[in-house]
Each structure stands twice: as structure tokens, then as C-alpha cells.
Amino acid sequence: MHPGELAEKFPDKPAVIIAETGETITYREMNDASMRASRLFRSLGLKRGDHVAILLENHSQMLTICLAALRSGLYFTTISYRLQEAEVEYIVTDCQARVFITSKSRQGVVEKLDLGHLEKAYMLDGVIAGFESWEEAVINMPAEKIADESTGSSMLYSSGTTGRPKGVLKPLPEGEFGADDGANLFGLLYGATEESIYLSPAPLYHAAPLGFTMAMVSMGVTSVVMQHFDAEGALAAIEKYRITHSQWVPTMFIRMLKLDEADRLRYDVSSLQCAIHAAAPCPIPIKEQMIEWWGPVIHEYYAGSEGNGFVAIDSEQWLTHKGSVGLPLTAQLHIVGEDGEELPPGASGTIYFEGGGEFEYFNDEEKTQESRHSKGWSTLGDVGYVDDEGYLYLTDRKSFMIISGGVNIYPQETENLLVTHPKVMDVAVFGVPNEEFGEEVKAVVQPKNWDDAGPELEAELIDFCRENISGIKCPRSVEFEQELPRHPTGKLYKRLLRDRYWEGHKTRVL
């Protein structure tokens, strides 16, 4: 629905609630504020197809600002608040933003930025040199629709786990703003209605949390946003707000399951009707435990910021196809070998989509072409296979493959096993140099209890692997870290760990 229609229908209904503080933005407040902001964008000369950049924590105004850009026909790039100066400056410059919006809490990073190329820089919750007050700029604008409303789009950057991030540019939607925003998927696939209450425990700058939460808001669903994920805090939010729908990553499931059972089970999660997860493969035992705990409300999907395909599976389907991410809904799947030829069911290869949405990597024609097959199909760079029924199974990212003695090893299977060990909180598996075989398998583990770290646990984990999977997939050695470099969305910055071991060596995989 158009935000104006929602404001008329639900003027005092919460559109957004900050879980930890209870701060609330109603549908009327969100509509008025986004109209004022869209007026501000036009007053600055921003037109359809121009770019703005947003660097905010899970701020109560973030969705309102994104909605303003969306109804102004702009591209908006939300930037991770975990990034440092050089990383933020690269994205703000690369996306060709004309306007930059941030908050006082980001002062330590943004005060060092070179903002000379920007036309305007705004700050919420206070100002520093070089920034104007967002609140003061917006309040002076009338809360009226701009005459040329049209639909904009996010242009988000990859997390950079395998290289420098690139913006994913998709064509701007045509047609009247608010006429069809794609939110029907959430109603048809996940049963969301105006009575639903949605929980977003992840950072809103990321594609899935941002897209899901904005879609829910556009349907009239109240969205509860956590400022930061905390395992017990998420369970408390489900109980307090009677959450019906939510979206997660497997790491969050693991953290909740690692809570002491008494702490975990004292929260009432019976209101949950649909818990959606994606972003990384979920270990089979973890998902089995979640379905046993929450019931058959777990839904999984496989997709990317590129929007070139969408694969989905519910609990009932998964229980008969364990490990699968589902069937394609919006595009045709192709599994392709190294020679570019399509592979039969059961054979692993690069996953391509045919007939899905269009995209390109902004300012990077080479990367765009690398994502294309000669037949016009596109890939996210993941590896997997389909079974005889067409269900897709992910193996790993191609860039993480280990080649040891000429044998291809995908570390995801080993990671999925090790994380189920009761003494393991988190794990990364990757290839390190080996003079004889080229590479060997290495595990870096974050133990649940740091006092357990040492040779005895190393031997225990290696034996645990050898008892459950082929010896070639097992780590030759295990090292311990107090915390792994994991993105708040659940993605692991494996490259940061792997590069330590390749220093002074010629790395085969970049």
C-alpha cells in the first residue's frame, strides 16, 4: 500500500518499535516525515535515479529516511556501521552519492571523511563541523507529497568477504509508486497480514533485513527492530511483543541454542507463525533442533542482493529434503561445470539463474561479466547441486574451495559439523599452505568456554571430525580465537583469517 493510505488506515498504529527502548514511530508519523524528507531531496535538486548514502545504526528514523528516498525515485545505499573511515569513504564515493546522512553516534568515523565531493551532509541527534542537522532541515519542509513521486531502489554493497565490495545496481521500477511494491510475496509465501508483528534482529543496512522490514511496513505490519542482536534478548522480544514473523541467520540460531537450556526455554515463543532464515547454509542438526523447539514454522530461502533468483523451502519440505534450500520460485536453475556445460542432478557446480531479475555491479563491468554465463544466465558465485526433484543444495562459495592434492574440498560441510560440538561456539574452516599437497584443511575455533582452548580440545575436535566425515575433509590442525570476525548479518570474514597463513605464499584463491 502507498504510505499515505497506510497513514489514513492506521494513523496511530506503530509502524516501527525499537525493541530495547520501546521508541515508536506510527504510520502517520512515518508518512509525514518521509514526505518532508522527499521534499528536502527535491529542494536540493535530486531527481529520479540520483544517489544518496546512509550510514546509521538501527536508528528509529532509518526506515523513514529509506522510505523518503524510495518515494522520491532515488537510489539509496545503506552502509554498514561497522566499517571504518577508508571503507565508508570508498562506498560514499563509489556510489556517487550527492547527499550523505549519518548520526552523531558515527562521529568517530565520519569526522575523518573527505566530504568535499558531496553536495550536502546531514547528521541526526546532533551536529559536528561539516554536517547540517537532519532534523532541522526536514522540519522546515511541508508534509505534502512531491508532485513526481516514483519508485526508487536500494543499491547495496556486497559485504566484501572475498574482495572489495561493489554496489548492486538494479533498474528502477516503472509505474506508479505504491501500486505494486512486491510485498505480496510476504503475504503469499509467509502468511503475513496486517495483524502480524515482525521482528528484525539484524542490522538494517543489510539487504535482507532492510528489504524484509520495509516490505512488512508497506503491508501495515508492525516491525520490531532490535538495536543489536543478543540471543536471550531476541527471545525476550518474541515473548514481549508477541512476534508472529521474524527473519534470522543460522549464527543466531546457534547462539540461541547454545544458551543454557533453562534460560532458553523459559521464554514463550508460541506466538511465532513464521521464522525465516538465509544468508548462510544452516547445519542440519541446528535446523532439526530449531524445528523441534519452535515447531514447523521455519522457512528458508536462497537469494542475493542481486535479485536474480529466489529459492525457498518450508519446514515440511525440508524434513523430507534435509539440507536443501528449496525450489526456485522466480527463475530457472542451472548447475554448470568448469567447462560451462550444464551438469545433471547430483553433480556439484556453479549455480546460475535464468529469467530472474536484472542487475549489474556498479562501476565494475568486469565483475558484471564474470557473473554471466554465455547463455545470459547469472550467478552469485555459489556452488551446489539439485536432486532429481529439482531441490537445490548449497555446497559452498567457489572462492572458499580448498584444493588438496588435486582434490576439491568445500569447507562448509566441516564447519557445519564442528559447530554442533558442545564445546564450540563458532568456527571457520579454510585452506592453508602445504608443501606436498598445495593446501591442507585448517580450523579456527571460538570455544564456548575459553578455558577449554588448548591441545586437548584440538585433538578432541579432530577426532570428532574423523568419526563423522571423510578424513580428507578433516582439519589437520585447530587454532583458537576468543571471537571470530563475523559480520552482524552472520557472514564470516574468512579471508581475514585465511590471509594470515598465506602471507609470503602465492595465494591460489583470492
Side-chain angles (χ1 to χ4, degrees):
M1 294 177 67
H2 189 283
E5 296 177 46
L6 289 168
E8 283 189 20
K9 188 173 184 180
F10 307 118
D12 300 317
K13 180 179 179 178
V16 177
I17 302 173
I18 301 299
E20 293 88 344
T21 66
E23 183 181 359
T24 299
I25 308 294
T26 67
Y27 273 98
R28 177 166 49 198
E29 290 169 337
M30 176 173 278
N31 183 52
D32 286 353
S34 66
M35 285 193 295
R36 293 181 192 277
S38 65
R39 285 264 170 185
L40 176 62
F41 290 144
R42 285 293 186 267
S43 75
L44 297 173
L46 271 65
K47 60 186 183 304
R48 179 173 169 83
D50 283 340
H51 295 246
V52 298
I54 303 166
L55 175 65
L56 291 173
E57 66 277 20
N58 276 13
H59 196 286
S60 61
Q61 292 299 319
M62 182 166 179
L63 292 172
T64 299
I65 294 170
C66 292
L67 177 59
L70 190 69
R71 71 193 300 171
S72 303
L74 303 178
Y75 283 107
F76 55 99
T77 295
T78 51
I79 304 172
S80 168
Y81 54 76
R82 303 300 181 98
L83 298 183
Q84 296 304 309
E85 173 192 351
E87 298 166 306
V88 172
E89 193 163 288
Y90 160 73
I91 292 176
V92 173
T93 303
D94 189 73
C95 77
Q96 300 177 5
R98 295 180 61 185
V99 172
F100 177 51
I101 304 165
T102 188
S103 71
K104 191 71 160 51
S105 70
R106 303 297 102 199
Q107 177 176 346
V109 170
V110 301
E111 66 185 358
K112 306 169 188 174
L113 299 181
D114 178 5
L115 303 175
H117 63 284
L118 290 167
E119 296 174 35
K120 284 286 184 179
Y122 292 102
M123 183 171 282
L124 287 83
D125 307 325
V127 293
I128 60 173
F131 290 83
E132 297 180 25
S133 167
W134 172 258
E135 293 90 343
E136 290 181 11
V138 168
I139 200 63
N140 292 323
M141 297 291 156
E144 299 171 356
K145 280 199 314 181
I146 56 175
D148 59 341
E149 271 194 341
S150 66
T151 307
S153 175
S154 61
M155 190 185 85
L156 307 186
Y157 277 64
S158 63
S159 57
T161 55
T162 59
R164 201 160 200 187
K166 286 296 177 183
V168 178
L169 181 71
K170 293 174 281 190
L172 289 179
E174 299 295 338
E176 185 180 352
F177 171 69
D180 182 7
D181 55 16
N184 287 342
L185 169 70
F186 298 92
L188 295 173
L189 195 58
Y190 301 125
T193 69
E194 294 172 351
E195 286 73 43
S196 300
I197 304 174
Y198 175 72
L199 176 66
S200 181
L204 289 176
Y205 62 76
H206 192 260
L210 180 65
F212 270 67
T213 308
M214 291 192 73
M216 290 293 178
V217 168
S218 74
M219 293 176 64
V221 174
T222 294
S223 291
V224 179
V225 175
M226 294 185 69
Q227 293 173 317
H228 302 283
F229 172 74
D230 169 73
E232 193 165 352
L235 295 173
I238 293 171
E239 178 179 270
K240 178 179 179 179
Y241 295 103
R242 304 303 296 161
I243 299 299
T244 61
H245 291 67
S246 53
Q247 201 228 8
W248 311 84
V249 295
T251 302
M252 294 174 178
F253 287 164
I254 292 167
R255 297 292 165 92
M256 290 187 286
L257 288 168
K258 296 282 184 180
L259 292 170
D260 290 340
E261 188 172 16
D263 292 332
R264 176 165 62 84
L265 297 182
R266 69 187 180 91
Y267 293 98
D268 180 6
V269 297
S270 61
S271 61
L272 284 172
Q273 300 170 14
C274 179
I276 308 154
H277 74 93
C282 186
I284 289 175
I286 297 300
K287 190 156 179 177
E288 288 174 332
Q289 291 177 67
M290 288 303 301
I291 293 174
E292 182 180 355
W293 177 19
W294 285 2
V297 300
I298 310 291
H299 292 250
E300 184 172 1
Y301 72 90
Y302 167 67
S305 306
E306 290 79 353
N308 58 335
F310 192 91
V311 176
I313 194 167
D314 62 23
S315 291
E316 286 78 8
Q317 292 171 314
W318 186 86
L319 288 169
T320 58
H321 300 81
K322 291 187 178 181
S324 174
V325 294
L327 296 168
L329 298 184
T330 62
Q332 185 178 347
L333 282 175
H334 299 280
I335 308 299
V336 176
E338 294 292 335
D339 59 0
E341 295 299 316
E342 195 161 2
L343 296 171
S348 288
T350 303
I351 303 165
Y352 282 86
F353 288 107
E354 176 188 3
E358 298 178 14
F359 74 93
E360 62 183 78
Y361 293 107
F362 194 60
N363 292 334
D364 197 331
E365 179 61 24
E366 181 179 354
K367 185 176 175 68
T368 300
Q369 291 306 313
E370 287 174 356
S371 71
R372 301 296 197 267
H373 189 275
S374 60
K375 294 184 178 179
W377 311 333
S378 62
T379 182
L380 304 174
D382 294 318
V383 174
Y385 65 93
V386 295
D387 63 18
D388 290 332
E389 297 176 72
Y391 282 84
L392 176 65
Y393 297 74
L394 299 182
T395 306
D396 211 332
R397 286 197 66 83
K398 193 172 184 178
S399 57
F400 293 149
M401 184 176 70
I402 302 165
I403 302 178
S404 183
V407 177
N408 294 349
I409 302 166
Y410 290 102
Q412 188 69 54
E413 182 180 0
T414 310
E415 290 176 354
N416 287 351
L417 172 64
L418 280 170
V419 80
T420 67
H421 192 283
K423 295 180 182 178
V424 173
M425 178 61 75
D426 203 356
V427 60
V429 175
F430 47 87
V432 296
N434 179 288
E435 289 187 7
E436 182 179 359
F437 297 105
E439 291 182 276
E440 65 179 58
V441 181
K442 177 85 174 180
V444 177
V445 166
Q446 176 186 335
K448 187 174 181 183
N449 184 341
W450 181 249
D451 292 338
D452 290 335
E456 289 187 8
L457 181 56
E458 178 183 24
E460 182 179 339
L461 295 177
I462 292 173
D463 288 343
F464 176 68
C465 287
R466 289 174 177 167
E467 290 168 3
N468 289 279
I469 56 176
S470 170
I472 197 169
K473 302 174 184 177
C474 297
R476 299 276 293 270
S477 60
V478 178
E479 292 190 19
F480 299 96
E481 295 275 348
Q482 292 199 350
E483 185 173 5
L484 299 191
R486 192 173 283 277
H487 193 279
T489 58
K491 290 186 178 180
L492 185 66
Y493 286 105
K494 194 181 293 187
R495 185 181 183 181
L496 297 179
L497 296 170
R498 187 176 60 184
D499 283 356
R500 300 177 193 170
Y501 301 91
W502 285 96
E503 189 173 348
H505 295 263
K506 185 177 180 180
T507 308
R508 178 188 59 79
V509 180
L510 295 178

